[in-house]
Amino acid sequence: MSDSQNHKALAPRRHDEILRRLAADGSVGITELAAFFDVSRETIRRDMKFLAERGQLDLVHGGATLFEATEPALTLRSQENAGGKASIGRAAAALVEDGMVVFLDSGTTTLAVAHALTGKQNLTICTTSLTIALHMCRQPHVRVHMLGGEIDPSEEAAVGIDALDAISRFRIDVAFLGAGALSPDGEITDFTRNGAEQRSRMAATAARAYFVLDSSKFGRLTPLRIQRFELAAGIIVDAPPPAAMVEALERKGPKVIVGE
Amino acid sequence: MSDSQNHKALAPRRHDEILRRLAADGSVGITELAAFFDVSRETIRRDMKFLAERGQLDLVHGGATLFEATEPALTLRSQENAGGKASIGRAAAALVEDGMVVFLDSGTTTLAVAHALTGKQNLTICTTSLTIALHMCRQPHVRVHMLGGEIDPSEEAAVGIDALDAISRFRIDVAFLGAGALSPDGEITDFTRNGAEQRSRMAATAARAYFVLDSSKFGRLTPLRIQRFELAAGIIVDAPPPAAMVEALERKGPKVIVGE
DNA sequence: GCCGCATGCCACATATTGCAACATCTGCTT
DNA sequence: AAGCAGATGTTGCAATATGTGGCATGCGGC
């Protein structure tokens, strides 16, 4: 406020401060900012409109919030594209026979696989996901092994060195793994170092490994390549990916299985 | 958590906070939220109605609960003697300071302890219980380690050799352990071999260990004595056990703490 | 002087909120 | 089982806050 009458570029100053407050608090109010800058509310509204058009914030009644502020909670994510996930689940379940040892990765798509496994007899389930463990241990004729470790709150699953360590003790018949994306050149990639490492090991360890990917993940780019993903038996999807991706992937090894 | 005071929160901010609390606690109360945001209860009701129409929560009398696409986890309110367990939880939480490493055994009474720990800062929670891990990993400022192993469906918790093995890797400040019974002659006993062994190790390993026992377990007889239970710092109960039991127990070492 | 632009002011439309009155529900006592 | 007290849900309405568009003003640059 000491810099009052510098008439040059007042608007950018306000824009900066608005974005700064937004980053700090998650939301800002119009009246509050108008008082702070000692300008009319219309002016702040025009500032916000300008910033909103550039995608830097979301307008809401009374102010603005961070653009794409919060990742939806896990319970909500599982409801997105529920139909597609269910079809992936059914296709995955068809690959499982009574008595097998099955690894289920964390993620909402693998949770759909878990649901689709209802009715199989005598399975042994191995998982890092708290939600999957809880669900499967309530099923009859299923033995569940929870791989321990530090819990990642955003996944509600075990990650880290303990989980990596535990994986190597098991002999897995079939593994269903999540992933961050199927890249345009037919590689399977992930968001985090730990996740990529864990999935890499499973792909190499399990007798057969499948990545489950819903169609929202086609062509996206995430930072980490999952090493040795080409050892996987296939990927299971809810809709056919672009032909170029299919060709690039299958040339490396994994087959594409389209649910339903 | 730091926000809320100076200005009334924008509607989306309230929505976020409502969903956040819902994910963390499983349910939220209207009056409680109205006080937190300093708005009328009608406003909160309108917020909840909006969220309910979008399928993000379930309205119930007095508040809202998680939208249940799947079966409900075993919740506190569905259990008997909820009041007694809550008082045990409060007494246990009073023994926990910010920053501690806390072990929580499986069981509904220890789940009550977990609920009572809400608000502590910087805890590290170590548990074998899927439900407790899921609940605690939704709390801010809490790190959760899940001890892996085979899942016992009736406990919804890890048991067996892997869990036993994992216990020894941790340095625990305070452990809260369940048990099957407090026998008439002041011994703490259990139902299963695995459970007794696990609790025995924890009692010996943790800097301080407490058994949490609601009054329905006084004077019962279960088959397995928990070895070295007398190394525990105490037992936490919701009502005073018969004087003879208290005397017999305290002569061996553990103190009796009555909640509330 | 004239133009462009940011700003403020006004009038009116819309949205949000709180209040009050009344209907229900819940838990507890009798 | 009945009934009561307190808490909670519902609804209509009024007050206030906010959004929108038009227009005037002032300032700096040409």
Side-chain angles (χ1 to χ4, degrees), chain B residues 106-159:
Chain B
S106 60
T108 55
T109 312
T110 48
L111 179 57
V113 176
H115 276 94
L117 290 177
T118 303
K120 302 276 178 186
Q121 302 283 311
N122 245 338
L123 296 181
T124 300
I125 301 290
C126 228
T127 185
T128 56
S129 159
L130 293 172
T131 311
I132 289 176
L134 205 48
H135 178 261
M136 294 310 291
C137 81
R138 290 170 177 166
Q139 306 297 322
H141 309 115
V142 172
R143 285 156 51 100
V144 177
H145 277 271
M146 175 78 201
L147 272 45
E150 180 159 1
I151 302 297
D152 175 347
S154 66
E155 294 277 325
E156 300 187 343
V159 297

Side-chain angles (χ1 to χ4, degrees), chain B residues 8 14 38-40 42-43 46 61:
Chain B
K8 289 188 178 179
R14 291 198 308 266
D38 191 27
V39 296
S40 69
E42 287 90 332
T43 300
R46 282 180 260 232
H61 194 88

Side-chain angles (χ1 to χ4, degrees), chain B residues 155-250:
Chain B
E155 294 277 325
E156 300 187 343
V159 297
I161 188 167
D162 288 328
L164 286 176
D165 202 49
I167 284 175
S168 60
R169 299 198 200 151
F170 288 91
R171 188 199 55 77
I172 307 289
D173 289 314
V174 55
F176 296 103
L177 308 172
L182 175 61
S183 76
D185 52 346
E187 300 204 317
I188 299 171
T189 62
D190 213 334
F191 293 102
T192 68
R193 179 75 182 81
N194 270 330
E197 178 65 26
Q198 190 169 309
R199 279 148 195 155
S200 169
R201 292 207 192 182
M202 278 313 308
T205 303
R208 284 181 300 147
Y210 297 88
F211 285 91
V212 291
L213 291 157
D214 75 82
S215 47
S216 69
K217 297 185 169 123
F218 299 162
R220 288 207 305 205
L221 290 167
T222 62
L224 288 143
R225 183 169 176 274
I226 295 176
Q227 303 287 321
R228 295 180 290 180
F229 75 89
E230 56 284 335
L231 295 178
I235 74 172
I236 305 176
V237 294
D238 59 331
M245 282 187 220
V246 172
E247 195 190 329
L249 179 73
E250 295 203 332

Side-chain angles (χ1 to χ4, degrees), chain A residues 80-81 85 109 180-182 213-220 238-239:
Chain A
E80 294 171 2
N81 193 14
K85 284 174 179 165
T109 312
L182 174 62
L213 290 158
D214 76 83
S215 50
S216 70
K217 297 186 168 123
F218 299 161
R220 288 206 307 202
D238 60 331

Side-chain angles (χ1 to χ4, degrees), chain A residues 10-11 14 38-40 42-43 46-47 61:
Chain A
L10 274 185
R14 289 199 307 270
D38 193 26
V39 296
S40 69
E42 288 88 336
T43 299
R46 286 168 185 136
D47 288 340
H61 193 91

